[in-house]
Amino acid sequence: MTPEYQQFFGKDFTLETNRVLLRLMQPEDFEALEKLANDPEIFRWFSKDLSQPGELKTWMDDAFNARVAGTRAPLVIIDKDTQEVCGCTSYGNINFPEQRIEIGWTWLGKDYIGMGVNRQAKFALISFAFYVMHIERVELKTDALNERARAAALKVGMIPEGILRSHMIVQNGRRRDSMYFSILRSEWPERMQSFFNDMI
């Protein structure tokens, strides 16, 4: 874990909007997340089906190991209306020398899909990356077949960059094409204003 990582992602790290609170994922979150991860359809486009026995625990352990290595900051999303954990997201592939970061590893309980939670979480993640961390590039990738995730990326102002063919092995051994999106720090003020306008 580098000094830069510790500077930004200390144990009390949180992000907040008027709708969601993001904080670092803890082992104690397993029970709440297990209750959310009970529908295989949630993980249709995820690399692993976390509804299957043992998969959620393995996924969380991998996330904690990546945090120790300083390459990922796994977060839980809390719905401020209910004060309950409603899903997960992460900063990952953190590269301070190159000033770039990825957001992703995101999933929500089925009752929170399509409710604006994901957009609020991404807004908080992107804003912090640009205005606090002074990152120059925020990127995300998704399964090229995942139309909902592609639309969500566009809604927060990300620019589609192209498709990496046969990029990853996902569930059932399928080789996934990954679509990449990004946004640059110079582009965010205009996108952020559009976000606020949409909320009025």
Side-chain angles (χ1 to χ4, degrees), residues 51-91:
S51 70
Q52 296 301 307
E55 290 290 353
L56 177 62
K57 176 67 165 53
T58 298
W59 184 80
M60 290 179 69
D61 287 344
D62 289 345
F64 294 138
N65 289 336
R67 171 166 164 73
V68 171
T71 59
R72 182 172 162 196
L75 306 163
V76 292
I77 306 169
I78 297 170
D79 180 0
K80 290 172 68 173
D81 291 342
T82 64
Q83 296 299 309
E84 294 181 348
V85 172
C86 61
C88 294
T89 193
S90 290
Y91 285 118

mmCIF file of all heavy atoms in Angstrom, residues 51-91:
data_model
loop_
_atom_site.group_PDB
_atom_site.id
_atom_site.type_symbol
_atom_site.label_atom_id
_atom_site.label_comp_id
_atom_site.label_asym_id
_atom_site.label_seq_id
_atom_site.Cartn_x
_atom_site.Cartn_y
_atom_site.Cartn_z
ATOM 1 N N SER A 51 -24.189 -15.095 -6.478
ATOM 2 C CA SER A 51 -25.301 -15.746 -5.786
ATOM 3 C C SER A 51 -24.982 -17.212 -5.476
ATOM 4 O O SER A 51 -25.682 -17.833 -4.664
ATOM 5 C CB SER A 51 -26.582 -15.662 -6.622
ATOM 6 O OG SER A 51 -26.499 -16.500 -7.774
ATOM 7 N N GLN A 52 -23.944 -17.740 -6.085
ATOM 8 C CA GLN A 52 -23.581 -19.142 -5.871
ATOM 9 C C GLN A 52 -22.806 -19.300 -4.563
ATOM 10 O O GLN A 52 -22.059 -18.406 -4.159
ATOM 11 C CB GLN A 52 -22.742 -19.655 -7.042
ATOM 12 C CG GLN A 52 -23.480 -19.675 -8.366
ATOM 13 C CD GLN A 52 -24.723 -20.540 -8.309
ATOM 14 O OE1 GLN A 52 -24.666 -21.711 -7.926
ATOM 15 N NE2 GLN A 52 -25.868 -19.954 -8.670
ATOM 16 N N PRO A 53 -22.971 -20.443 -3.889
ATOM 17 C CA PRO A 53 -22.302 -20.658 -2.594
ATOM 18 C C PRO A 53 -20.791 -20.442 -2.679
ATOM 19 O O PRO A 53 -20.129 -20.973 -3.565
ATOM 20 C CB PRO A 53 -22.641 -22.120 -2.269
ATOM 21 C CG PRO A 53 -23.910 -22.392 -3.004
ATOM 22 C CD PRO A 53 -23.833 -21.586 -4.274
ATOM 23 N N GLY A 54 -20.284 -19.638 -1.762
ATOM 24 C CA GLY A 54 -18.859 -19.408 -1.650
ATOM 25 C C GLY A 54 -18.309 -18.311 -2.541
ATOM 26 O O GLY A 54 -17.212 -17.800 -2.268
ATOM 27 N N GLU A 55 -19.029 -17.926 -3.586
ATOM 28 C CA GLU A 55 -18.488 -16.955 -4.541
ATOM 29 C C GLU A 55 -18.377 -15.553 -3.939
ATOM 30 O O GLU A 55 -17.408 -14.835 -4.200
ATOM 31 C CB GLU A 55 -19.340 -16.913 -5.817
ATOM 32 C CG GLU A 55 -19.226 -18.152 -6.680
ATOM 33 C CD GLU A 55 -17.878 -18.297 -7.360
ATOM 34 O OE1 GLU A 55 -17.040 -17.373 -7.275
ATOM 35 O OE2 GLU A 55 -17.639 -19.352 -7.973
ATOM 36 N N LEU A 56 -19.374 -15.143 -3.162
ATOM 37 C CA LEU A 56 -19.332 -13.811 -2.560
ATOM 38 C C LEU A 56 -18.151 -13.691 -1.600
ATOM 39 O O LEU A 56 -17.421 -12.688 -1.614
ATOM 40 C CB LEU A 56 -20.642 -13.500 -1.836
ATOM 41 C CG LEU A 56 -20.680 -12.155 -1.098
ATOM 42 C CD1 LEU A 56 -20.507 -10.982 -2.064
ATOM 43 C CD2 LEU A 56 -21.988 -12.010 -0.310
ATOM 44 N N LYS A 57 -17.939 -14.702 -0.783
ATOM 45 C CA LYS A 57 -16.824 -14.680 0.172
ATOM 46 C C LYS A 57 -15.492 -14.589 -0.573
ATOM 47 O O LYS A 57 -14.600 -13.801 -0.186
ATOM 48 C CB LYS A 57 -16.865 -15.935 1.040
ATOM 49 C CG LYS A 57 -15.705 -16.086 2.018
ATOM 50 C CD LYS A 57 -15.735 -15.028 3.097
ATOM 51 C CE LYS A 57 -14.837 -15.356 4.281
ATOM 52 N NZ LYS A 57 -13.451 -15.677 3.918
ATOM 53 N N THR A 58 -15.330 -15.362 -1.628
ATOM 54 C CA THR A 58 -14.091 -15.322 -2.414
ATOM 55 C C THR A 58 -13.897 -13.957 -3.054
ATOM 56 O O THR A 58 -12.791 -13.407 -3.056
ATOM 57 C CB THR A 58 -14.120 -16.417 -3.495
ATOM 58 O OG1 THR A 58 -14.202 -17.699 -2.861
ATOM 59 C CG2 THR A 58 -12.866 -16.369 -4.360
ATOM 60 N N TRP A 59 -14.975 -13.402 -3.593
ATOM 61 C CA TRP A 59 -14.924 -12.084 -4.232
ATOM 62 C C TRP A 59 -14.516 -11.006 -3.232
ATOM 63 O O TRP A 59 -13.686 -10.146 -3.538
ATOM 64 C CB TRP A 59 -16.280 -11.772 -4.851
ATOM 65 C CG TRP A 59 -16.351 -10.497 -5.615
ATOM 66 C CD1 TRP A 59 -15.921 -10.261 -6.899
ATOM 67 C CD2 TRP A 59 -16.911 -9.258 -5.156
ATOM 68 N NE1 TRP A 59 -16.186 -8.956 -7.259
ATOM 69 C CE2 TRP A 59 -16.787 -8.316 -6.207
ATOM 70 C CE3 TRP A 59 -17.511 -8.863 -3.956
ATOM 71 C CZ2 TRP A 59 -17.231 -7.006 -6.090
ATOM 72 C CZ3 TRP A 59 -17.955 -7.557 -3.841
ATOM 73 C CH2 TRP A 59 -17.818 -6.642 -4.906
ATOM 74 N N MET A 60 -15.091 -11.062 -2.034
ATOM 75 C CA MET A 60 -14.738 -10.086 -1.011
ATOM 76 C C MET A 60 -13.287 -10.255 -0.565
ATOM 77 O O MET A 60 -12.572 -9.262 -0.398
ATOM 78 C CB MET A 60 -15.687 -10.207 0.181
ATOM 79 C CG MET A 60 -17.107 -9.742 -0.123
ATOM 80 S SD MET A 60 -18.249 -9.909 1.293
ATOM 81 C CE MET A 60 -17.599 -8.640 2.409
ATOM 82 N N ASP A 61 -12.837 -11.488 -0.400
ATOM 83 C CA ASP A 61 -11.444 -11.721 -0.011
ATOM 84 C C ASP A 61 -10.488 -11.168 -1.059
ATOM 85 O O ASP A 61 -9.460 -10.556 -0.726
ATOM 86 C CB ASP A 61 -11.188 -13.217 0.188
ATOM 87 C CG ASP A 61 -11.821 -13.757 1.463
ATOM 88 O OD1 ASP A 61 -12.196 -12.948 2.333
ATOM 89 O OD2 ASP A 61 -11.945 -14.997 1.578
ATOM 90 N N ASP A 62 -10.811 -11.362 -2.331
ATOM 91 C CA ASP A 62 -9.980 -10.812 -3.404
ATOM 92 C C ASP A 62 -9.941 -9.286 -3.326
ATOM 93 O O ASP A 62 -8.895 -8.665 -3.544
ATOM 94 C CB ASP A 62 -10.517 -11.239 -4.769
ATOM 95 C CG ASP A 62 -10.289 -12.714 -5.059
ATOM 96 O OD1 ASP A 62 -9.475 -13.342 -4.356
ATOM 97 O OD2 ASP A 62 -10.932 -13.234 -5.996
ATOM 98 N N ALA A 63 -11.086 -8.683 -3.015
ATOM 99 C CA ALA A 63 -11.150 -7.224 -2.901
ATOM 100 C C ALA A 63 -10.298 -6.723 -1.742
ATOM 101 O O ALA A 63 -9.576 -5.720 -1.866
ATOM 102 C CB ALA A 63 -12.605 -6.780 -2.724
ATOM 103 N N PHE A 64 -10.355 -7.419 -0.604
ATOM 104 C CA PHE A 64 -9.553 -7.009 0.544
ATOM 105 C C PHE A 64 -8.055 -7.169 0.258
ATOM 106 O O PHE A 64 -7.243 -6.333 0.665
ATOM 107 C CB PHE A 64 -9.941 -7.823 1.783
ATOM 108 C CG PHE A 64 -11.341 -7.575 2.267
ATOM 109 C CD1 PHE A 64 -12.147 -8.625 2.693
ATOM 110 C CD2 PHE A 64 -11.870 -6.295 2.289
ATOM 111 C CE1 PHE A 64 -13.438 -8.406 3.139
ATOM 112 C CE2 PHE A 64 -13.165 -6.055 2.737
ATOM 113 C CZ PHE A 64 -13.953 -7.116 3.162
ATOM 114 N N ASN A 65 -7.687 -8.224 -0.445
ATOM 115 C CA ASN A 65 -6.276 -8.424 -0.804
ATOM 116 C C ASN A 65 -5.790 -7.320 -1.738
ATOM 117 O O ASN A 65 -4.652 -6.842 -1.615
ATOM 118 C CB ASN A 65 -6.083 -9.790 -1.455
ATOM 119 C CG ASN A 65 -6.231 -10.938 -0.468
ATOM 120 O OD1 ASN A 65 -6.041 -10.762 0.734
ATOM 121 N ND2 ASN A 65 -6.573 -12.112 -0.962
ATOM 122 N N ALA A 66 -6.641 -6.905 -2.668
ATOM 123 C CA ALA A 66 -6.278 -5.822 -3.580
ATOM 124 C C ALA A 66 -6.161 -4.505 -2.826
ATOM 125 O O ALA A 66 -5.345 -3.651 -3.178
ATOM 126 C CB ALA A 66 -7.302 -5.715 -4.706
ATOM 127 N N ARG A 67 -6.963 -4.326 -1.788
ATOM 128 C CA ARG A 67 -6.837 -3.118 -0.955
ATOM 129 C C ARG A 67 -5.487 -3.106 -0.247
ATOM 130 O O ARG A 67 -4.795 -2.078 -0.224
ATOM 131 C CB ARG A 67 -7.981 -3.037 0.050
ATOM 132 C CG ARG A 67 -7.780 -1.928 1.083
ATOM 133 C CD ARG A 67 -9.043 -1.606 1.860
ATOM 134 N NE ARG A 67 -8.746 -0.845 3.057
ATOM 135 C CZ ARG A 67 -8.376 0.437 3.086
ATOM 136 N NH1 ARG A 67 -8.248 1.114 1.965
ATOM 137 N NH2 ARG A 67 -8.129 1.048 4.230
ATOM 138 N N VAL A 68 -5.081 -4.231 0.302
ATOM 139 C CA VAL A 68 -3.783 -4.313 0.963
ATOM 140 C C VAL A 68 -2.658 -4.003 -0.024
ATOM 141 O O VAL A 68 -1.675 -3.331 0.317
ATOM 142 C CB VAL A 68 -3.583 -5.707 1.593
ATOM 143 C CG1 VAL A 68 -2.154 -5.876 2.102
ATOM 144 C CG2 VAL A 68 -4.571 -5.916 2.742
ATOM 145 N N ALA A 69 -2.836 -4.449 -1.264
ATOM 146 C CA ALA A 69 -1.828 -4.195 -2.297
ATOM 147 C C ALA A 69 -1.864 -2.762 -2.806
ATOM 148 O O ALA A 69 -0.946 -2.326 -3.511
ATOM 149 C CB ALA A 69 -2.030 -5.157 -3.457
ATOM 150 N N GLY A 70 -2.919 -2.032 -2.462
ATOM 151 C CA GLY A 70 -3.025 -0.644 -2.887
ATOM 152 C C GLY A 70 -3.493 -0.453 -4.316
ATOM 153 O O GLY A 70 -3.306 0.625 -4.892
ATOM 154 N N THR A 71 -4.128 -1.484 -4.884
ATOM 155 C CA THR A 71 -4.579 -1.381 -6.276
ATOM 156 C C THR A 71 -6.089 -1.202 -6.401
ATOM 157 O O THR A 71 -6.592 -0.951 -7.502
ATOM 158 C CB THR A 71 -4.175 -2.633 -7.069
ATOM 159 O OG1 THR A 71 -4.761 -3.796 -6.463
ATOM 160 C CG2 THR A 71 -2.657 -2.770 -7.109
ATOM 161 N N ARG A 72 -6.807 -1.339 -5.301
ATOM 162 C CA ARG A 72 -8.276 -1.237 -5.354
ATOM 163 C C ARG A 72 -8.796 -0.730 -4.018
ATOM 164 O O ARG A 72 -8.251 -1.049 -2.964
ATOM 165 C CB ARG A 72 -8.879 -2.607 -5.679
ATOM 166 C CG ARG A 72 -10.395 -2.614 -5.813
ATOM 167 C CD ARG A 72 -10.853 -3.968 -6.339
ATOM 168 N NE ARG A 72 -12.273 -4.185 -6.081
ATOM 169 C CZ ARG A 72 -12.881 -5.369 -6.147
ATOM 170 N NH1 ARG A 72 -12.180 -6.439 -6.492
ATOM 171 N NH2 ARG A 72 -14.167 -5.479 -5.884
ATOM 172 N N ALA A 73 -9.851 0.065 -4.087
ATOM 173 C CA ALA A 73 -10.543 0.518 -2.888
ATOM 174 C C ALA A 73 -11.993 0.042 -2.984
ATOM 175 O O ALA A 73 -12.832 0.685 -3.614
ATOM 176 C CB ALA A 73 -10.496 2.037 -2.770
ATOM 177 N N PRO A 74 -12.306 -1.136 -2.403
ATOM 178 C CA PRO A 74 -13.663 -1.675 -2.477
ATOM 179 C C PRO A 74 -14.594 -0.943 -1.512
ATOM 180 O O PRO A 74 -14.238 -0.710 -0.348
ATOM 181 C CB PRO A 74 -13.483 -3.134 -2.075
ATOM 182 C CG PRO A 74 -12.273 -3.141 -1.190
ATOM 183 C CD PRO A 74 -11.389 -2.021 -1.669
ATOM 184 N N LEU A 75 -15.778 -0.602 -1.998
ATOM 185 C CA LEU A 75 -16.707 0.215 -1.231
ATOM 186 C C LEU A 75 -18.090 -0.425 -1.203
ATOM 187 O O LEU A 75 -18.494 -1.098 -2.162
ATOM 188 C CB LEU A 75 -16.835 1.605 -1.866
ATOM 189 C CG LEU A 75 -15.535 2.372 -2.104
ATOM 190 C CD1 LEU A 75 -15.762 3.504 -3.098
ATOM 191 C CD2 LEU A 75 -14.996 2.910 -0.786
ATOM 192 N N VAL A 76 -18.797 -0.206 -0.116
ATOM 193 C CA VAL A 76 -20.226 -0.526 -0.095
ATOM 194 C C VAL A 76 -21.004 0.765 -0.319
ATOM 195 O O VAL A 76 -20.554 1.856 0.045
ATOM 196 C CB VAL A 76 -20.673 -1.207 1.210
ATOM 197 C CG1 VAL A 76 -20.084 -2.601 1.316
ATOM 198 C CG2 VAL A 76 -20.340 -0.364 2.430
ATOM 199 N N ILE A 77 -22.162 0.617 -0.951
ATOM 200 C CA ILE A 77 -23.064 1.739 -1.196
ATOM 201 C C ILE A 77 -24.213 1.641 -0.216
ATOM 202 O O ILE A 77 -24.863 0.587 -0.113
ATOM 203 C CB ILE A 77 -23.606 1.698 -2.641
ATOM 204 C CG1 ILE A 77 -22.461 1.638 -3.656
ATOM 205 C CG2 ILE A 77 -24.503 2.904 -2.915
ATOM 206 C CD1 ILE A 77 -22.924 1.337 -5.081
ATOM 207 N N ILE A 78 -24.462 2.720 0.499
ATOM 208 C CA ILE A 78 -25.558 2.768 1.471
ATOM 209 C C ILE A 78 -26.615 3.735 0.959
ATOM 210 O O ILE A 78 -26.311 4.881 0.607
ATOM 211 C CB ILE A 78 -25.043 3.199 2.852
ATOM 212 C CG1 ILE A 78 -24.048 2.157 3.380
ATOM 213 C CG2 ILE A 78 -26.196 3.391 3.835
ATOM 214 C CD1 ILE A 78 -23.304 2.592 4.621
ATOM 215 N N ASP A 79 -27.846 3.249 0.883
ATOM 216 C CA ASP A 79 -28.976 4.091 0.493
ATOM 217 C C ASP A 79 -29.363 4.942 1.703
ATOM 218 O O ASP A 79 -29.774 4.423 2.736
ATOM 219 C CB ASP A 79 -30.148 3.209 0.069
ATOM 220 C CG ASP A 79 -31.366 3.998 -0.355
ATOM 221 O OD1 ASP A 79 -31.323 5.244 -0.318
ATOM 222 O OD2 ASP A 79 -32.371 3.369 -0.726
ATOM 223 N N LYS A 80 -29.224 6.253 1.580
ATOM 224 C CA LYS A 80 -29.478 7.124 2.728
ATOM 225 C C LYS A 80 -30.959 7.181 3.092
ATOM 226 O O LYS A 80 -31.309 7.543 4.221
ATOM 227 C CB LYS A 80 -28.930 8.524 2.444
ATOM 228 C CG LYS A 80 -27.402 8.550 2.421
ATOM 229 C CD LYS A 80 -26.846 9.878 1.966
ATOM 230 C CE LYS A 80 -27.112 10.992 2.952
ATOM 231 N NZ LYS A 80 -26.422 12.240 2.551
ATOM 232 N N ASP A 81 -31.839 6.807 2.170
ATOM 233 C CA ASP A 81 -33.269 6.773 2.494
ATOM 234 C C ASP A 81 -33.593 5.660 3.483
ATOM 235 O O ASP A 81 -34.462 5.807 4.335
ATOM 236 C CB ASP A 81 -34.101 6.591 1.222
ATOM 237 C CG ASP A 81 -34.058 7.807 0.314
ATOM 238 O OD1 ASP A 81 -33.685 8.894 0.792
ATOM 239 O OD2 ASP A 81 -34.401 7.666 -0.879
ATOM 240 N N THR A 82 -32.901 4.526 3.340
ATOM 241 C CA THR A 82 -33.177 3.369 4.193
ATOM 242 C C THR A 82 -32.074 3.101 5.208
ATOM 243 O O THR A 82 -32.269 2.294 6.122
ATOM 244 C CB THR A 82 -33.353 2.107 3.342
ATOM 245 O OG1 THR A 82 -32.115 1.813 2.665
ATOM 246 C CG2 THR A 82 -34.454 2.294 2.298
ATOM 247 N N GLN A 83 -30.890 3.749 5.007
ATOM 248 C CA GLN A 83 -29.706 3.510 5.838
ATOM 249 C C GLN A 83 -29.230 2.066 5.748
ATOM 250 O O GLN A 83 -28.584 1.548 6.669
ATOM 251 C CB GLN A 83 -29.987 3.877 7.302
ATOM 252 C CG GLN A 83 -30.278 5.347 7.525
ATOM 253 C CD GLN A 83 -29.095 6.233 7.121
ATOM 254 O OE1 GLN A 83 -27.967 6.006 7.528
ATOM 255 N NE2 GLN A 83 -29.369 7.243 6.311
ATOM 256 N N GLU A 84 -29.512 1.420 4.628
ATOM 257 C CA GLU A 84 -29.109 0.034 4.430
ATOM 258 C C GLU A 84 -28.100 -0.084 3.295
ATOM 259 O O GLU A 84 -28.138 0.684 2.331
ATOM 260 C CB GLU A 84 -30.329 -0.840 4.127
ATOM 261 C CG GLU A 84 -31.301 -0.950 5.287
ATOM 262 C CD GLU A 84 -32.487 -1.841 4.958
ATOM 263 O OE1 GLU A 84 -32.656 -2.185 3.763
ATOM 264 O OE2 GLU A 84 -33.241 -2.189 5.884
ATOM 265 N N VAL A 85 -27.213 -1.068 3.425
ATOM 266 C CA VAL A 85 -26.305 -1.386 2.326
ATOM 267 C C VAL A 85 -27.136 -1.866 1.146
ATOM 268 O O VAL A 85 -28.010 -2.729 1.295
ATOM 269 C CB VAL A 85 -25.295 -2.472 2.753
ATOM 270 C CG1 VAL A 85 -24.472 -2.939 1.551
ATOM 271 C CG2 VAL A 85 -24.374 -1.949 3.847
ATOM 272 N N CYS A 86 -26.876 -1.299 -0.029
ATOM 273 C CA CYS A 86 -27.668 -1.676 -1.204
ATOM 274 C C CYS A 86 -26.805 -2.217 -2.333
ATOM 275 O O CYS A 86 -27.326 -2.620 -3.377
ATOM 276 C CB CYS A 86 -28.519 -0.511 -1.683
ATOM 277 S SG CYS A 86 -27.611 0.964 -2.195
ATOM 278 N N GLY A 87 -25.474 -2.239 -2.161
ATOM 279 C CA GLY A 87 -24.614 -2.778 -3.199
ATOM 280 C C GLY A 87 -23.160 -2.434 -2.971
ATOM 281 O O GLY A 87 -22.764 -2.002 -1.885
ATOM 282 N N CYS A 88 -22.369 -2.625 -4.013
ATOM 283 C CA CYS A 88 -20.918 -2.420 -3.955
ATOM 284 C C CYS A 88 -20.427 -1.678 -5.189
ATOM 285 O O CYS A 88 -21.056 -1.731 -6.251
ATOM 286 C CB CYS A 88 -20.178 -3.759 -3.927
ATOM 287 S SG CYS A 88 -20.442 -4.750 -2.469
ATOM 288 N N THR A 89 -19.295 -1.031 -5.044
ATOM 289 C CA THR A 89 -18.562 -0.474 -6.164
ATOM 290 C C THR A 89 -17.101 -0.358 -5.742
ATOM 291 O O THR A 89 -16.762 -0.663 -4.595
ATOM 292 C CB THR A 89 -19.145 0.888 -6.603
ATOM 293 O OG1 THR A 89 -18.598 1.264 -7.872
ATOM 294 C CG2 THR A 89 -18.875 1.981 -5.573
ATOM 295 N N SER A 90 -16.232 0.069 -6.635
ATOM 296 C CA SER A 90 -14.806 0.162 -6.303
ATOM 297 C C SER A 90 -14.112 1.193 -7.172
ATOM 298 O O SER A 90 -14.522 1.440 -8.317
ATOM 299 C CB SER A 90 -14.098 -1.181 -6.533
ATOM 300 O OG SER A 90 -14.466 -2.170 -5.614
ATOM 301 N N TYR A 91 -13.057 1.753 -6.627
ATOM 302 C CA TYR A 91 -11.965 2.273 -7.434
ATOM 303 C C TYR A 91 -11.010 1.103 -7.651
ATOM 304 O O TYR A 91 -10.758 0.322 -6.726
ATOM 305 C CB TYR A 91 -11.196 3.361 -6.693
ATOM 306 C CG TYR A 91 -11.846 4.711 -6.588
ATOM 307 C CD1 TYR A 91 -12.171 5.236 -5.344
ATOM 308 C CD2 TYR A 91 -12.090 5.483 -7.721
ATOM 309 C CE1 TYR A 91 -12.730 6.504 -5.227
ATOM 310 C CE2 TYR A 91 -12.650 6.748 -7.621
ATOM 311 C CZ TYR A 91 -12.971 7.251 -6.367
ATOM 312 O OH TYR A 91 -13.522 8.501 -6.252
#
